[in-house]
Amino acid sequence: MTKLLRTTLATTLSVCLAAGLGACSMDDDPREGLAQHTPGAVGIVGGTPQRGGTLTVLADQDFPHLDPARNWVMPAMDFGIRLLYRTLVTFKAEPGRGGTELVPDLATDLGRPSQGGRVWTFTLKKGLKYEDGSPIRAQDVKYNVERSFAPQLSGGPDYARRYLAGTEGYEGPLDGEHLDSIETPDDRTIVFRLNRPVSEFSQTATLPTFSPVPPAQEKGTRYDLRPFSSGPYKIEKYSKRERMVLIRNPHWDPATDPVRKAYPDKIVVRMGRNGAHIDDRLIASEGEDASSVQWSDTQPDSMPELLADTSKSAPRKRLVAEITGCTDMLHLNTSKPPFDDSTVRKAVQYAINREDQVATRGGPALNEPATSYLPPTLTGGDRVNPLDLSPTGNPGRTRELLTEAGLKQRVTADFTVSREDTARAQAIQKDLSRIGINVRIQIVDPAVYFDTIGDARKAPDMSLSGWCPDYPSGATFLPFLFDGRTIKEKGNQGNYSQFRDGETMERIDEISVMADATQANQAWRELDRQIMRKSPAIPLLWERRPLLVGNNIAGAFGHSVWSGQLDYAVIGLKHPEKSSSDRGSNAS
C-alpha cells in the first residue's frame, strides 16, 4: 500500500469510528444511559498510573488460546499482544481514533512493499530479547507464521494461508518443513512473498501470527500453557480455569517499545468467577477489588443499578463502554436442513425480535439492533438495512416466506450457546417456535465454546458469535464469515454457517485485488447487501463492551481495535502500595 492509500483509508475509518469511541462520559442523564456519551469527555479513567503494585483481573472464564498461532478471539488477542508477545506492527495505545493508528513494534517501520504489493519486507529493531535474554530473530517470526498452518495448532488467524505464495498442501514446520515464500536473509530481515497484491499487509502484521516463537521452545499444543515471552511480562504460574500470574520480563527493553508501559509489577488473573459476583465486587471496590478490573462484560442485570446512581462516587464513573465495532450474529448451518434453504433462512431474519436481544444484553444504552453484517464502523457510519428489517420482527413477511419455502410441518433445530448467552438463546427459541421451528438448546462452558462450534462435522444447526474486524477494513470481515474456502473440519473460525456460495466467493476474489481502498470499501458494502439476501447468518446486535474497574485503577480505556477490551498496554494503579500481593488460588 502506498503512503497515500494507507493515510486515506485510516482517515476515512477514523472519521467513521469517531462517533462512538473513547471512554464513556458519566455526566449525562442516567435515563439516557450511555447513549449520550461524548467521546473523550473522560478519555482515560483514573488518570495516569504509577509504576508498581499488583493488578488483578477478575474473569468468569479461561483464555480460549494464548499460543500466538492460535489466538483469534479479540479480548485474548489484546491480552497476549500487549503483555506476552510483540508483533511486527501494532496499534497505538490510545482511546478513540488514536488507537486505530499503526506504529512499528518489533519492526523498524510499517513494512516496505515492492513488486506492486506482492512482496513485503520488514527489518527488526536492534536489541530485542526474549524472557531468557536470548535474541529475537527474524527466523522466529517466520517459524510462528509457519506454525499457523499446522493442523494440530488450529483456531488462529489464517491470513498467512490466504496471502502467502506456495502454501498449497503445507502443514506447518513441526516435521521440519518450511515455506520458501518467507525469506530471512539475516537475523533482522524477513521478506514475505504473496500470491497477490495486498495493500493492507501492514495491518495484517499486527496479528499474533506475526510474533516470534523460537523453535527450541516448541511444545505443540502445550505451548498454549506457556508462551515464551517477547513482551513486558512472562508467565510465572498458570492453572487452567483457576489462575494465571504474570511477572515482569527482565529482558524486555522499553527503549525498543514505545507502546507498552508495563506499569504493574505483577498481574494476577483469577478465573471461574461468577459474572454477577464480579460486578458486585467491583461496584463495592473494597480491598483487593479496588485494584481489580473485569475481563468479561458487566452483566445486564447490573446495569440499572449502575446507571441510576448519580452520586459523586458513583461506580458508573468507573465504567468504560467502548463501541466494539463488531456484529453479533445467529449462524444458521447451511450444510443441512432446514437451513440449506435460503428462503427458510430469510424467514428467520424476519422472525427474530431484535428488541428482545437488546434487552437481554443490557438494553438500548449498550446495544442497538443490527440490520446488516458490516457494522456502522465499516459502512461510513450508516445503519444499513437492505432487507427492511423491523426491530420487533415482521410476522407477515415471515409467513409469506415459509409458504414460499413449503415448510408445512414443524422441524427441530439444535442450538449450541455459551453459558453466558442462555437468556438470549431462550428469546430466539421463543421467536422460532412461533414459525414452526422447535429449538433444542445445548449450553457449554465459555472456555470450550468456540472449539465446540468449530468442529464442522459435528456443528449444531445454530450458534451465536460476534465477528470483529482484525483491523478496520471489510477485507477482515466478510471473507472470514462467508467464504466457503475458509471452512475447516476442526478449528473452523468465522464461517460457522458453513456457507459455500460460488457467486459470493467469486466477488470476494475480485474485491480482494482492488488496489484502490475507497473502491474496495464500497464493494464490500455492496457484497454485504447481496449476502444479506441469502441470509446464511442473522445479524442481531451492534454492541458496546461495558467493563467496570476498581477505584484504584488508572489508565483504563477500551481499545477500539480489540472490540472495546481494556488496553492492557497502559493500564495500572493510582496507588500501587494499596494493591494486594497474590495470595494464591484460593483467594476470593
Side-chain angles (χ1 to χ4, degrees), residues 67 70 147 152-153 217-227 238:
D67 182 332
R70 310 183 72 184
R147 294 174 76 246
Q152 57 268 61
L153 302 179
Q217 295 294 327
E218 181 62 77
K219 296 180 177 62
T221 57
R222 292 190 60 78
Y223 194 79
D224 237 354
L225 302 176
R226 186 61 175 80
Y238 185 15

Short mmCIF file of all heavy atoms in Angstrom, two decimals, residues 67 70 147 152-153 217-227 238:
data_model
loop_
_atom_site.label_atom_id
_atom_site.label_comp_id
_atom_site.label_asym_id
_atom_site.label_seq_id
_atom_site.Cartn_x
_atom_site.Cartn_y
_atom_site.Cartn_z
N ASP A 67 -1.44 -19.29 22.77
CA ASP A 67 -0.45 -19.56 21.74
C ASP A 67 -0.69 -18.56 20.61
O ASP A 67 -1.79 -18.48 20.06
CB ASP A 67 -0.64 -21.00 21.23
CG ASP A 67 0.38 -21.41 20.18
OD1 ASP A 67 0.89 -20.53 19.45
OD2 ASP A 67 0.64 -22.61 20.06
N ARG A 70 -2.60 -19.52 17.58
CA ARG A 70 -3.98 -19.99 17.76
C ARG A 70 -4.91 -18.92 18.34
O ARG A 70 -6.11 -19.14 18.45
CB ARG A 70 -3.98 -21.21 18.69
CG ARG A 70 -3.00 -22.30 18.31
CD ARG A 70 -3.09 -23.50 19.20
NE ARG A 70 -4.31 -24.25 18.94
CZ ARG A 70 -4.69 -25.32 19.63
NH1 ARG A 70 -3.97 -25.74 20.66
NH2 ARG A 70 -5.81 -25.94 19.32
N ARG A 147 3.89 -22.00 11.82
CA ARG A 147 3.11 -22.78 12.79
C ARG A 147 1.61 -22.61 12.56
O ARG A 147 0.82 -23.51 12.87
CB ARG A 147 3.45 -22.35 14.23
CG ARG A 147 4.84 -22.66 14.67
CD ARG A 147 5.14 -22.08 16.05
NE ARG A 147 4.54 -22.86 17.12
CZ ARG A 147 3.60 -22.44 17.92
NH1 ARG A 147 3.11 -21.21 17.78
NH2 ARG A 147 3.12 -23.22 18.87
N GLN A 152 -2.65 -29.36 13.95
CA GLN A 152 -2.80 -29.56 15.39
C GLN A 152 -2.79 -28.25 16.17
O GLN A 152 -3.09 -28.23 17.36
CB GLN A 152 -1.73 -30.52 15.93
CG GLN A 152 -0.29 -30.11 15.66
CD GLN A 152 0.25 -30.67 14.38
OE1 GLN A 152 -0.26 -30.39 13.30
NE2 GLN A 152 1.30 -31.47 14.49
N LEU A 153 -2.42 -27.15 15.51
CA LEU A 153 -2.42 -25.84 16.15
C LEU A 153 -3.52 -24.98 15.52
O LEU A 153 -3.29 -23.86 15.06
CB LEU A 153 -1.05 -25.17 16.01
CG LEU A 153 0.13 -25.95 16.58
CD1 LEU A 153 1.43 -25.20 16.36
CD2 LEU A 153 -0.06 -26.26 18.06
N GLN A 217 11.66 -23.65 21.71
CA GLN A 217 10.62 -23.61 22.74
C GLN A 217 9.34 -24.33 22.31
O GLN A 217 8.36 -24.34 23.05
CB GLN A 217 10.29 -22.16 23.10
CG GLN A 217 11.43 -21.42 23.77
CD GLN A 217 11.78 -21.98 25.13
OE1 GLN A 217 10.92 -22.45 25.86
NE2 GLN A 217 13.07 -21.93 25.48
N GLU A 218 9.34 -24.91 21.12
CA GLU A 218 8.14 -25.56 20.59
C GLU A 218 7.66 -26.68 21.51
O GLU A 218 8.45 -27.55 21.91
CB GLU A 218 8.41 -26.12 19.19
CG GLU A 218 7.21 -26.80 18.55
CD GLU A 218 6.05 -25.83 18.33
OE1 GLU A 218 6.12 -25.03 17.38
OE2 GLU A 218 5.09 -25.87 19.15
N LYS A 219 6.38 -26.65 21.86
CA LYS A 219 5.78 -27.69 22.69
C LYS A 219 4.46 -28.17 22.09
O LYS A 219 3.63 -28.74 22.79
CB LYS A 219 5.56 -27.17 24.11
CG LYS A 219 6.85 -26.83 24.86
CD LYS A 219 6.57 -26.32 26.25
CE LYS A 219 7.87 -26.06 27.02
NZ LYS A 219 8.71 -25.01 26.40
N GLY A 220 4.24 -27.89 20.80
CA GLY A 220 2.99 -28.32 20.18
C GLY A 220 1.80 -27.67 20.85
O GLY A 220 1.81 -26.47 21.15
N THR A 221 0.76 -28.45 21.13
CA THR A 221 -0.45 -27.89 21.72
C THR A 221 -0.21 -27.37 23.14
O THR A 221 -0.98 -26.54 23.63
CB THR A 221 -1.57 -28.94 21.75
OG1 THR A 221 -1.12 -30.10 22.47
CG2 THR A 221 -1.96 -29.35 20.34
N ARG A 222 0.85 -27.84 23.80
CA ARG A 222 1.12 -27.38 25.17
C ARG A 222 1.76 -26.00 25.21
O ARG A 222 1.87 -25.41 26.28
CB ARG A 222 2.01 -28.40 25.89
CG ARG A 222 1.32 -29.73 26.17
CD ARG A 222 2.13 -30.62 27.09
NE ARG A 222 2.39 -30.00 28.37
CZ ARG A 222 1.51 -29.92 29.37
NH1 ARG A 222 0.29 -30.43 29.21
NH2 ARG A 222 1.83 -29.35 30.51
N TYR A 223 2.14 -25.47 24.05
CA TYR A 223 2.67 -24.11 24.03
C TYR A 223 1.60 -23.11 24.49
O TYR A 223 1.92 -22.02 24.97
CB TYR A 223 3.16 -23.76 22.63
CG TYR A 223 4.03 -22.51 22.58
CD1 TYR A 223 5.35 -22.55 22.96
CD2 TYR A 223 3.51 -21.29 22.15
CE1 TYR A 223 6.16 -21.42 22.92
CE2 TYR A 223 4.30 -20.15 22.10
CZ TYR A 223 5.62 -20.22 22.49
OH TYR A 223 6.40 -19.08 22.46
N ASP A 224 0.33 -23.48 24.35
CA ASP A 224 -0.78 -22.66 24.83
C ASP A 224 -0.63 -22.31 26.31
O ASP A 224 -1.07 -21.25 26.75
CB ASP A 224 -2.09 -23.43 24.63
CG ASP A 224 -3.09 -22.67 23.79
OD1 ASP A 224 -2.84 -21.50 23.45
OD2 ASP A 224 -4.13 -23.24 23.46
N LEU A 225 -0.03 -23.23 27.08
CA LEU A 225 0.05 -23.05 28.54
C LEU A 225 1.22 -22.19 28.96
O LEU A 225 1.26 -21.71 30.10
CB LEU A 225 0.18 -24.43 29.21
CG LEU A 225 -0.96 -25.42 28.94
CD1 LEU A 225 -0.65 -26.76 29.58
CD2 LEU A 225 -2.28 -24.87 29.44
N ARG A 226 2.20 -21.99 28.03
CA ARG A 226 3.38 -21.24 28.45
C ARG A 226 4.06 -20.60 27.24
O ARG A 226 5.17 -20.98 26.86
CB ARG A 226 4.35 -22.20 29.17
CG ARG A 226 5.59 -21.53 29.80
CD ARG A 226 5.19 -20.50 30.84
NE ARG A 226 6.34 -19.94 31.54
CZ ARG A 226 7.13 -18.98 31.06
NH1 ARG A 226 6.90 -18.47 29.86
NH2 ARG A 226 8.13 -18.52 31.77
N PRO A 227 3.38 -19.60 26.61
CA PRO A 227 4.06 -18.87 25.53
C PRO A 227 5.35 -18.25 26.04
O PRO A 227 5.39 -17.70 27.15
CB PRO A 227 3.04 -17.81 25.13
CG PRO A 227 1.72 -18.33 25.59
CD PRO A 227 2.01 -19.12 26.83
N TYR A 238 0.34 -20.82 35.90
CA TYR A 238 -0.90 -20.89 35.13
C TYR A 238 -1.60 -22.19 35.46
O TYR A 238 -1.13 -23.28 35.11
CB TYR A 238 -0.60 -20.81 33.64
CG TYR A 238 -1.82 -20.76 32.72
CD1 TYR A 238 -3.09 -20.47 33.19
CD2 TYR A 238 -1.67 -20.99 31.35
CE1 TYR A 238 -4.18 -20.41 32.35
CE2 TYR A 238 -2.75 -20.93 30.47
CZ TYR A 238 -4.00 -20.65 30.98
OH TYR A 238 -5.08 -20.59 30.12
#
